[in-house]
């Protein structure tokens, strides 16, 4: 019943590849220290345990570190006690040994078929279904740690990153999945979902019907991607119709409820959003995003006490920690507890020193307390992060005015007045957009005004929607080129986008 | 739903308790969504305010010292503002509702009540008007409907608001009624009747007007008129906005319309008015719903504050102007800190009021706002610099889902500071978040620049939900303390009588201007006791579409002694009155002061 088990602790010190060597003992369990090289790249399995089979000898080349071999514990049992003495043991000891051997075999078989990894991937899928992509990613990372990279795993990682909105990472993992032989058709399908989710609906929308008919088990992903895309582009009716159909089929699925809550938030339907989010939290109490969103909805309804009760879940989760803590600040400020707000903001800034909102809020707290010097310091930092934000400029103006720096304050006040007026005028054009939904010029104008006055995300969506209608619309490309050129230093992606839009603006 | 089955919330939906195979679920959903997508692809396509007593009790976070009772039945006032709403048609015109006015039109020292009538509108047709209501206060016998006999019932437009003053200084208060299509000026002829003379007097404004305020902006002693205009809605600009369902129409939001410029009419003193909006420097935008005219920087002239819906509020600083050239204003709302919320965003502002929240003799501002916004409480730091202190005052958490309109500030409990009452009522017929009918709110001033909502402890009548709009302040029952009238949309008006159970004696102060406007509009009244000074103002405007009484309610403890009143008239004249104890008569340094029971009459001195 000797079942060789492989253990990998890292690369050999000398780096030389050696033939697989088995440390043989008399007992039923053999120990191996192995490093496994797969597909031309070394994969380190720190604690991998899987049965060594003929496949191991054929498809994998094993190396063993001499130093690691030297450090091995001798065996499970002292060799002298086991060798040739089985028949002399009591029956119950023999039964235990046999049972252990059976368990070992089963574990080995499980490893051979990567069952732990599959179980972890299944767990990840469940988390994705719950609308918890961050938790899903944690499971996937464990799966990768246990069984290494597989095409399926890479694909799932790509999907998870897509759901998180991390499109660059999603693309990288899709490429990895392709290299590992994942079906191209499925990868293309995922690509379409990524485009739809990011609001590029012009090219993807015609495929929606087909994708839903041929769901391939990912109908929820299809729904989610398109609904997210519609929400990003303020096409609420379309989003609502898909959601209605989806929820009619799965009325209690957290993933769909979260999306509907997001739509309700966009439509300012706080009560409906609150209901959906509470249902999600009833089912998945650790759902950080739901807790964070619910707190936001409660704060919109000026219910700081209720919001504070749901926030701890979101504060604990890394992905919602900053947002949740800022909501806690808002709660304290609504309660009139400026001191608590200030203290929390100080600690937030230690953890997240670049948080615009934290600088802004702390500046506002200081300003309200009459500490105009520290307030100006915080608000100037915020202004460096978001120079066009009317909110920042207004708070800064108030602090400057309080400090007696009237002339400087006046400049910011003027900017705010102009910005608010321009944005109000632009938003009053929304009814005209409803009348003429294909007016790219109007959409681009609204987007440009928003972009120019600190509402970056909304502005980009509006301009993008103009390009959805008319991909060659030069003013939209020009404005996007200018925007991305201004941020080209921040990332390669921005730099590429700047070049792309500039080219399109010059060659319509 | 394919192989990806996350946890579901079955407890909330018993119908889905797993009786359908997943395959069917997928198939069912697929077809539903395919159908939905197919459908999609096809479809793509001058009011008064109360003063205060210096001695005050300790701040109680929830003091049960307020007591209002609904006196509507006893008052015999039966009037309803009719918005003319139809189930299938929801123009924004119907959202504004109507206000109410308190004035003593017959000079019998009892406050009478006036209510604009509203109107009716059918799609594609000119709005029709409903008659106004005037109710004469007959003391213990309640009110008598004198609308028709007085000649004030006649309405020419779909009406909204009312502003009252004695514009021609004949001793009898007159009325201006605002609405869609024009203004009405009802001249009080002193014999219990009114004569409408808007056109003849030069009030030729034909735009959609909401609130109006009287105030002497050029210091000539004649009340001038500021008229707020709302949006450019018209029969030809009447978009259809979808509600929650096709059979549930909702009015389009104001953000979809352009704002109209307001108008300033300057009184010539001869019973005529002149539109000086352009020369005075008024802005060409705004969506005005509330206005006050008060000397906010205490420099001796009247400034103007306008509450705008969804756009920044205005503060017009009175620059004085050259003699004979008319007044000049500079709009400084944003830099003053009173135009926006603390986040620098424009609120949906409706009504406004002036109060002295911290007894520093500087007029502070209170603004009622849209749902899920906070009320705007702006502390006056001097030199027209204000600080938004809603959060610090503990008011941010009380706003909730109420759509606030009319608002008045007064010392309702006689504790020496200004409290605030707000009328609420939704504009949505099928609200997504709050309720259609909403109760009033009463905020008690705790004395340390903090407020606390005490609605639930101030009488059951305040907690009854209404479609509240207008709110007017005045001593209706003649007992000296401030009462309120609530005008709701499509509901009978309500009289909330202040039924304060305390040892406080109230004195109503009545002003008669000579060089200043007749009703004393613009006057500052300061109580001086024990070295402390508390200032209150008689000012133009206040609330929403409503006219408050220009009288001043002075609470006085019977044990209080050595009280001095300093009255600063808009003309610059100062009058001082003094008495040793509550049992002694008042002595006045100049001008006239007479006391009749619990009413104190001051006449502006000549010198």
């Amino acid at each position: 019943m000797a079942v060789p088990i492989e253990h990998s602790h890292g690369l050999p010190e000398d780096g030389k590849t050696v033939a697989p060597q088995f440390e043989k003992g008399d007992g039923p369990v053999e120990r191996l220290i192995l490093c496994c090289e797969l597909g031309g790249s070394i994969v380190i399995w720190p604690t991998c345990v899987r049965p060594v089979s003929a496949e191991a000898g054929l498809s994998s080349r094993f190396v063993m570190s001499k130093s690691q071999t030297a450090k091995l514990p001798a065996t499970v049992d002292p060799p002298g006690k086991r060798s040739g003495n089985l028949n002399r043991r009591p029956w119950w000891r023999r039964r235990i040994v046999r049972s252990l051997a059976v368990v070992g075999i089963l574990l080995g078989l499980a490893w051979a078929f990567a069952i732990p990894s599959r179980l972890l991937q299944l767990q990840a899928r469940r988390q994705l279904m719950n609308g918890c992509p961050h938790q899903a990613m944690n499971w996937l990372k464990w799966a990768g740690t246990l069984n290494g990279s597989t095409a399926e795993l890479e694909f799932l990682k790509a999907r998870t990153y897509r759901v998180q909105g991390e499109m660059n990472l999603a693309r990288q993992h899709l490429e990895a999945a392709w290299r590992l032989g994942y079906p191209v058709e499925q990868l293309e399908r995922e690509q379409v979902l990524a485009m739809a989710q990011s609001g590029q609906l012009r090219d993807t929308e015609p495929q929606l019907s087909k994708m839903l008919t041929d769901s391939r088990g990912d109908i929820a992903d299809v729904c989610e991607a398109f609904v997210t895309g519609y929400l990003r582009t303020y096409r609420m009716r379309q989003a609502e119709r898909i959601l209605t159909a989806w929820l009619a089929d799965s009325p209690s699925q957290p993933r769909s409820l979260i999306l509907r809550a997001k739509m309700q938030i966009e439509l300012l339907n706080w009560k409906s959003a609150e209901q959906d989010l509470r249902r999600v939290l009833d089912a998945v109490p650790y759902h950080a995003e739901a807790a964070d969103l619910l707190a936001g909805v409660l704060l919109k309804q000026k219910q700081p006490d209720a919001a504070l009760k749901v926030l701890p879940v979101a504060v604990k989760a890394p992905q919602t920690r900053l947002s949740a803590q800022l909501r806690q600040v808002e709660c304290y400020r609504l309660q009139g507890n400026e001191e608590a707000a200030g203290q929390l903001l100080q600690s937030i800034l230690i953890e997240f020193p670049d948080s615009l909102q934290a600088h802004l809020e702390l500046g506002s707290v200081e300003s309200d307390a009459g500490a105009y010097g520290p307030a100006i310091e915080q608000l100037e930092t915020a202004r460096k992060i978001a120079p066009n934000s009317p909110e920042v400029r207004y708070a800064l103006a108030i602090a400057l005015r309080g400090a007696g720096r009237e002339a400087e304050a006046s400049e910011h006040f003027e900017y705010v007045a102009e910005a608010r007026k321009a944005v109000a005028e632009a938003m009053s054009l929304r009814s005209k957009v409803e009348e003429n939904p294909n007016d790219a010029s109007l959409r681009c104008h609204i987007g440009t005004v928003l972009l120019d006055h600190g509402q970056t995300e909304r502005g980009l969506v509006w301009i993008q929607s103009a390009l959805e209608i008319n991909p060659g619309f030069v003013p939209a490309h020009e404005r996007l080129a200018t925007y991305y050129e201004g941020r080209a230093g921040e990332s390669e992606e921005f730099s590429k986008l700047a070049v792309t839009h500039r080219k399109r603006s010059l060659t319509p | 739903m394919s192989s990806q089955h996350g946890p579901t919330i079955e407890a909330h939906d018993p119908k889905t308790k797993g009786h359908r195979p997943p395959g069917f679920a997928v198939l069912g959903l697929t077809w539903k969504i395919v159908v939905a997508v197919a459908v999609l692809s096809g479809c793509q396509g001058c009011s008064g305010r109360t003063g205060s007593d210096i001695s005050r009790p300790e701040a109680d976070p929830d003091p049960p010292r307020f007591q209002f009772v609904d006196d509507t039945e006893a008052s015999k006032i039966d009037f309803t503002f009719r918005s003319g709403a139809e189930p299938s048609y929801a123009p924004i015109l119907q959202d504004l509702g109507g206000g109410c006015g308190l004035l003593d039109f017959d000079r019998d020292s009892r406050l009478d009540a006036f209510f604009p009538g509203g109107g009716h509108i059918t799609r594609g047709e000119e709005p029709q008007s409903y008659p106004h209501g005037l109710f004469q206060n007959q003391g213990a016998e309640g009110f008598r409907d004198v609308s028709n006999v007085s000649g004030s019932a006649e309405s020419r437009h779909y009406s909204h608001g009312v502003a009252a003053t004695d514009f021609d200084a004949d001793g009898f208060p007159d009325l201006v009624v605002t609405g869609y299509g024009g203004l009405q000026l009802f001249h009080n002829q002193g014999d219990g009747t009114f004569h409408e003379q808007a056109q003849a007097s030069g009030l030729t404004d034909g735009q959609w007007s909401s609130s109006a305020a009287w105030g002497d902006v050029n210091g000539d002693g004649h009340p001038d008129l500021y008229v707020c205009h709302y949006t450019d809605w018209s029969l030809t600009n009447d978009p259809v906005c979808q509600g929650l369902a096709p059979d549930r129409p909702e009015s389009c939001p104001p953000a979809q319309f352009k704002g109209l410029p307001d108008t300033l009419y300057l009184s010539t003193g001869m019973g005529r008015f002149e539109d000086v909006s352009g020369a005075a420097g008024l802005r060409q935008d705004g969506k005005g719903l509330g206005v006050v005219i008060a000397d906010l920087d205490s420099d001796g002239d009247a400034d103007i504050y306008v509450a705008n819906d969804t756009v920044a509020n205005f503060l017009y600083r009175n620059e004085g102007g050259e003699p004979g050239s008319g007044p000049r204003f500079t709009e400084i709302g944003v830099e003053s800190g009173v135009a926006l919320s603390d986040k620098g965003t424009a609120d949906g502002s409706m009504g406004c009021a002036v109060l002295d929240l911290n007894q520093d003799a500087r007029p502070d501002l209170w603004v009622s706002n849209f749902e899920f916004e906070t009320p705007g409480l702006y502390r006056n730091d001097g030199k027209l610099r204000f600080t938004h202190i809603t959060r610090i005052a503990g008011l941010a958490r009380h706003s909730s889902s109420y759509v606030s309109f009319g608002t008045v500030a007064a010392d309702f409990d006689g504790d020496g500071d200004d409290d605030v009452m707000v009328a609420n009522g939704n504009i949505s017929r099928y609200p997504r978040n709050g309720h259609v009918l909403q109760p009033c709110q009463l905020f008690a001033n705790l004395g340390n620049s903090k407020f606390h909502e005490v609605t639930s402890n101030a009488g059951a009548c305040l907690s009854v939900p209404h479609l509240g709009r207008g709110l007017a302040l005045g001593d209706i029952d003649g007992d000296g303390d401030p009462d309120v009238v609530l005008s709701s949309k499509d509901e009978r008006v309500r009289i909330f009588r202040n039924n304060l159970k305390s040892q406080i004696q109230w004195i109503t102060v009545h002003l008669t201007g000579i060089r200043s406007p007749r009703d004393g509009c613009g006057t500052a009244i300061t109580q001086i006791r024990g070295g402390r000074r508390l200032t209150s103002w008689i000012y133009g405007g206040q609330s929403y579409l409503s006219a408050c009484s220009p009288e001043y309610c002075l609470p006085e403890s019977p044990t209080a002694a050595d009280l001095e009143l300093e009255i600063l008239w808009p003309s610059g004249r100062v009058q001082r009155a003094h008495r040793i104890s509550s049992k002694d008569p008042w002595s006045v340094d100049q001008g006239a002061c007479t006391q009749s029971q619990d009413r104190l009459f001051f006449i502006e001195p000549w010198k």
Side-chain angles (χ1 to χ4, degrees):
Chain A
M1 291 294 290
V3 179
I5 303 292
E6 61 180 61
H7 287 248
S8 169
H9 287 266
L11 286 168
E13 281 177 359
D14 53 12
K16 291 177 183 174
T17 304
V18 294
Q21 294 178 30
F22 296 81
E23 183 181 320
K24 296 178 180 176
D26 301 338
V29 179
E30 300 283 350
R31 290 180 172 271
L32 277 179
I33 305 301
L34 296 169
C35 291
C36 175
E37 186 183 334
L38 279 174
S41 62
I42 300 292
V43 177
I44 303 166
W45 293 0
T47 56
C48 78
V49 180
R50 78 178 197 185
V52 173
S53 61
E55 183 190 350
L58 291 171
S59 62
S60 304
R61 289 173 296 135
F62 295 95
V63 291
M64 183 168 63
S65 158
K66 290 174 185 173
S67 60
Q68 286 168 334
T69 311
K71 290 175 188 172
L72 278 175
T75 52
V76 172
D77 293 318
K81 288 190 178 182
R82 284 184 291 155
S83 181
N85 292 330
L86 281 174
N87 290 337
R88 274 177 269 157
R89 287 176 182 166
W91 65 270
W92 54 272
R93 285 196 67 180
R94 289 201 303 274
R95 185 161 290 181
I96 289 173
V97 170
R98 283 175 189 161
S99 300
L100 285 172
V102 169
V103 169
I105 290 167
L106 290 174
L107 284 172
L109 285 170
W111 230 258
F113 292 100
I115 287 174
S117 175
R118 286 170 193 269
L119 287 172
L120 292 173
Q121 287 179 35
L122 185 64
Q123 191 63 22
R125 285 180 186 276
R126 283 192 177 144
Q127 294 298 347
L128 272 178
M129 209 62 181
N130 288 346
C132 301
H134 289 86
Q135 278 94 333
M137 184 52 73
N138 288 340
W139 289 112
L140 292 174
K141 282 177 180 169
W142 274 106
T145 304
L146 283 177
N147 281 92
S149 180
T150 63
E152 177 72 19
L153 184 64
E154 291 298 325
F155 178 77
L156 272 179
K157 281 185 177 177
R159 171 163 287 182
T160 308
Y161 278 125
R162 172 181 63 75
V163 173
Q164 288 178 314
E166 301 279 0
M167 295 304 176
N168 278 337
L169 288 169
R171 192 183 60 199
Q172 287 171 19
H173 285 278
L174 278 182
E175 285 172 0
W178 173 71
R179 281 197 301 271
L180 291 169
Y182 203 75
V184 173
E185 196 180 353
Q186 199 69 18
L187 296 174
E188 285 174 348
R189 191 177 169 88
E190 190 64 19
Q191 187 102 352
V192 170
L193 293 183
M195 289 171 69
Q197 183 182 311
S198 58
Q200 299 173 56
L201 293 157
R202 187 171 181 270
D203 298 326
T204 55
E205 213 167 20
Q207 300 184 52
L208 177 56
S209 298
K210 185 184 167 191
M211 292 180 88
L212 291 171
T213 312
D214 177 20
S215 69
R216 302 189 184 196
D218 62 358
I219 197 162
D221 291 285
V222 175
C223 291
E224 184 179 44
F226 276 89
V227 168
T228 306
Y230 285 133
L231 293 180
R232 281 180 67 92
T233 50
Y234 295 96
R235 293 166 67 178
M236 298 297 169
R237 284 183 204 166
Q238 287 88 337
E240 190 175 12
R241 286 183 184 178
I242 294 181
L243 272 173
T244 304
W246 186 8
L247 280 157
D249 190 77
S250 306
S252 310
Q253 196 179 72
R255 200 174 178 183
S256 50
L257 287 172
I258 285 271
L259 272 177
R260 188 167 69 177
K262 286 180 178 175
M263 186 185 73
Q264 301 293 4
I265 289 169
E266 283 292 334
L267 295 170
L268 312 182
N269 297 335
W270 314 123
K271 291 288 181 194
S272 303
E274 183 184 341
Q275 283 173 7
D276 283 345
L277 293 166
R278 287 199 185 280
R279 289 177 68 189
V280 173
L281 284 174
D282 285 346
V284 191
Y286 56 83
H287 203 300
E289 188 187 11
D292 188 46
L293 287 171
L294 177 58
V297 167
L298 291 168
L299 282 170
K300 288 286 182 191
Q301 299 174 75
K302 303 291 183 289
Q303 297 177 24
D305 300 344
L308 278 174
K309 283 180 187 165
V310 300
L311 275 170
V313 170
V315 171
K316 283 177 192 163
Q319 72 273 16
T320 51
R321 182 170 174 77
L322 175 60
S323 165
Q325 284 187 310
L326 288 169
R327 292 195 202 282
Q328 283 180 322
V329 167
E330 196 178 346
C331 290
Y332 294 142
R333 298 199 75 192
L334 281 175
Q335 290 175 332
N337 191 349
E338 296 281 295
E339 192 180 342
Q343 286 172 357
L344 181 54
L345 283 164
Q346 296 279 9
S347 77
I348 290 172
L349 281 171
I350 292 169
E351 195 176 350
F352 303 99
D354 297 328
S355 167
L356 165 68
Q357 199 62 28
H359 284 293
L360 172 60
E361 289 290 335
L362 187 55
S364 173
V365 169
E366 300 277 19
S367 188
D368 282 351
Y372 297 115
I376 291 168
E377 195 178 318
Q378 292 294 336
L379 293 166
E380 285 289 7
T381 308
R383 189 188 167 200
K384 281 176 191 161
I385 299 169
N388 290 335
S389 163
E391 196 175 346
V392 171
R393 301 281 290 268
Y394 187 72
L396 181 57
I398 293 286
L400 287 167
R401 192 189 66 175
R405 294 156 65 176
E406 303 277 355
E408 292 169 77
S410 178
E411 180 191 330
H412 296 296
F413 278 131
E414 279 175 25
Y415 173 81
V416 173
E418 182 200 333
R420 293 300 182 206
K421 191 177 174 189
V423 169
E425 283 176 4
M427 296 318 285
S428 73
L429 296 173
R430 281 185 301 182
S431 60
K432 289 195 166 54
V433 173
E434 284 188 17
E435 289 169 17
N436 303 297
N438 293 323
D439 189 340
S441 175
L442 187 58
R443 286 173 181 270
C444 183
H445 170 70
I446 293 173
T448 301
V449 171
L450 294 175
L451 198 57
D452 289 347
H453 293 97
Q455 298 199 15
T456 308
E457 197 173 327
R458 288 193 159 199
L460 289 175
V461 168
W462 276 101
I463 296 176
Q464 199 65 48
S465 74
L467 290 176
E468 286 286 310
I469 291 158
N470 180 358
F473 192 60
V474 171
H477 284 297
E478 271 180 357
R479 186 63 190 87
L480 288 176
T482 307
Y483 170 75
Y484 287 118
E485 281 162 3
R487 300 190 63 181
E490 294 179 29
S491 77
E492 193 184 339
E493 191 69 16
F494 286 156
S495 183
K496 284 179 185 172
L497 284 166
V499 172
T500 305
H501 286 292
R502 183 57 67 198
K503 277 183 186 171
R504 298 290 298 273
S505 70
L506 297 173
T507 54
Chain B
M1 206 57 197
S2 81
S3 61
Q4 300 175 359
H5 287 281
T8 56
I9 310 164
E10 303 292 343
H12 291 274
D13 197 345
K15 292 178 185 174
T16 63
K17 280 196 175 175
H19 295 300
R20 251 192 328 179
F24 277 91
V26 173
L27 200 60
L29 172 61
T30 303
W31 280 107
K32 284 172 196 167
I33 296 177
V34 168
V35 170
V37 171
V39 171
L40 270 178
S41 56
C43 292
Q44 270 170 14
C46 236
S47 63
R49 55 176 297 280
T50 60
S52 48
D53 191 348
I54 292 173
S55 60
R56 50 169 305 125
E58 287 295 311
D60 181 346
D62 198 4
R65 45 178 198 265
F66 297 88
Q67 186 64 46
F68 284 88
V69 292
D70 190 334
D71 217 23
T72 309
E73 292 301 331
S75 74
K76 299 177 186 172
I77 294 179
D78 188 0
F79 188 86
T80 299
F81 174 91
R82 288 177 287 174
S83 69
E86 290 181 350
S88 60
Y89 181 42
I92 191 174
L93 178 67
Q94 294 172 345
D95 289 343
L96 262 56
C100 43
L102 288 174
L103 69 161
D104 182 10
F105 85 91
D106 52 2
R107 296 295 306 273
D108 64 352
S109 294
R110 297 190 192 110
L111 284 179
D112 311 300
F114 179 86
F115 304 98
H120 182 83
I121 179 168
T122 306
R123 182 177 282 282
E125 295 178 14
E126 281 296 327
Q128 304 298 306
S129 62
Y130 285 131
H132 313 307
L134 179 64
F135 294 84
Q136 186 182 38
N137 190 339
Q138 298 185 311
E141 296 172 19
F143 286 75
R144 184 170 71 101
D145 187 346
V146 293
S147 313
N148 291 320
V149 295
S150 67
S152 62
E154 183 193 359
S155 176
R156 292 183 181 167
H157 315 287
Y158 186 109
S159 56
H160 292 300
V162 57
T165 197
D166 181 7
F167 80 88
D168 57 351
D170 63 357
F172 293 90
D174 312 293
L175 292 165
V176 156
V177 179
T178 63
Y180 186 85
L183 299 169
Q184 284 185 285
L185 174 60
F186 289 102
H187 176 234
N188 189 336
Q189 301 186 104
D191 58 356
T193 65
F194 289 84
H195 177 245
E196 203 288 310
Q197 57 178 59
Q199 292 294 322
S201 299
L203 300 182
T204 54
D205 186 347
Q207 293 185 307
W208 183 9
S209 52
S210 54
S211 287
W214 292 98
D216 181 10
V217 298
N218 58 349
D220 63 355
H222 304 296
D224 310 301
L225 181 67
Y226 188 97
V227 180
C228 294
H229 291 130
Y230 195 40
T231 69
D232 66 345
W233 176 89
S234 69
L235 293 180
T236 55
N237 183 21
D238 186 16
V240 177
C241 285
Q242 195 175 5
L244 286 173
D247 59 340
R248 292 184 165 190
E250 293 279 18
S251 57
C252 294
Q256 271 192 235
F257 300 93
K258 282 187 180 172
L260 297 174
D262 299 337
T263 304
L264 177 63
Y265 290 103
L266 205 63
S267 171
T268 63
M270 305 296 288
R272 285 191 57 81
F273 295 88
E274 185 183 346
D275 183 349
V276 295
S277 312
L282 263 56
R283 288 179 58 140
Q284 292 301 300
D285 54 354
K287 294 173 184 172
L289 287 179
V291 56
V292 292
I293 300 180
D295 183 6
L296 296 174
D297 52 358
S298 305
D299 65 348
D301 52 30
D303 310 296
I304 302 170
Y305 181 72
V306 183
N308 286 314
D309 195 3
T310 69
V311 295
N313 299 332
F314 297 153
L315 173 56
Y316 288 107
R317 180 176 62 205
N318 194 331
E319 307 287 8
E322 296 297 317
S325 65
R328 283 286 308 168
F329 289 91
T330 305
E331 203 283 298
I332 56 166
V334 173
E335 50 264 50
S336 285
V338 289
L340 305 168
S341 73
D342 58 335
K343 302 280 186 192
T345 55
D347 286 324
S349 299
M350 316 288 190
C352 48
V354 172
L355 72 162
D356 185 7
L357 74 97
N358 51 359
Q359 295 98 41
D360 64 352
R362 291 180 184 139
D364 309 300
L365 286 166
W366 170 283
V367 183
S368 58
N369 288 323
F370 194 60
E371 64 178 355
F372 302 123
E373 296 171 345
T374 61
L377 180 58
Y378 300 97
R379 185 188 62 214
N380 190 336
D381 296 330
K383 298 180 181 175
L384 289 182
R385 287 184 359 184
F386 291 79
T387 301
H388 190 285
I389 62 159
T390 302
R391 261 197 312 242
I392 299 170
L395 285 161
R397 60 192 306 174
H398 291 298
S399 49
S400 176
S401 59
Y402 294 147
V403 183
S404 300
F405 287 92
T407 183
V408 292
D411 184 4
F412 288 111
D413 57 350
D415 70 342
D417 50 35
D418 287 325
D419 313 299
V420 176
M421 189 181 285
V422 181
N424 300 307
N426 219 317
I427 55 164
S428 170
R429 296 180 182 188
Y430 310 98
R432 295 164 174 177
N433 298 301
H435 299 282
V436 175
L437 305 179
Q438 300 174 344
C440 291
Q441 285 174 294
L442 178 62
F443 298 100
N445 191 333
L446 301 181
N448 48 1
S449 292
K450 289 191 182 293
F451 284 80
H452 183 73
E453 186 177 356
V454 292
T455 311
S456 57
N457 284 339
C461 63
L462 289 190
S463 299
V464 176
H466 299 280
L467 267 175
R469 292 293 187 269
L471 200 61
L473 180 76
D475 178 17
I476 297 169
D477 55 0
D479 64 354
D481 57 22
D483 312 298
V484 292
V485 182
L486 170 69
S487 170
S488 302
K489 201 174 82 148
D490 300 311
E491 285 182 69
R492 183 180 177 181
V493 297
R494 312 305 299 184
I495 308 291
F496 296 145
R497 185 164 56 82
N498 192 342
N499 198 26
L500 198 64
K501 303 290 184 191
S502 71
Q503 296 300 311
I504 296 169
Q505 290 178 345
W506 294 80
I507 302 171
T508 305
V509 178
H510 184 93
L511 304 177
T512 302
I514 303 295
R515 289 290 304 276
S516 303
R518 180 76 179 211
D519 59 6
C521 184
T523 304
I525 303 174
T526 303
Q527 302 173 55
I528 305 164
R529 182 181 287 151
R532 290 181 62 190
R533 300 168 67 91
L534 289 173
T535 305
S536 302
W537 302 268
I538 309 293
Y539 61 92
Q542 184 170 219
S543 195
Y544 168 80
L545 308 176
S546 299
C548 301
S549 161
E551 293 178 332
Y552 170 81
C553 297
L554 171 68
E556 189 184 14
S557 167
T559 58
D562 193 20
L563 173 63
E564 183 178 344
L565 288 181
E566 183 180 276
I567 298 168
L568 175 60
W569 294 85
S571 60
R573 290 172 174 82
V574 181
Q575 193 174 18
R576 288 184 179 83
H578 177 257
R579 77 174 179 187
I580 305 297
S581 75
S582 59
K583 293 178 182 175
D584 295 318
W586 288 88
S587 62
V588 64
D589 62 344
Q590 54 181 323
C593 171
T594 57
Q595 185 168 12
S596 170
Q597 295 180 337
D598 53 359
R599 296 178 73 83
L600 194 58
F601 297 88
F602 286 93
I603 299 175
E604 184 181 10
W606 282 99
K607 294 181 180 176

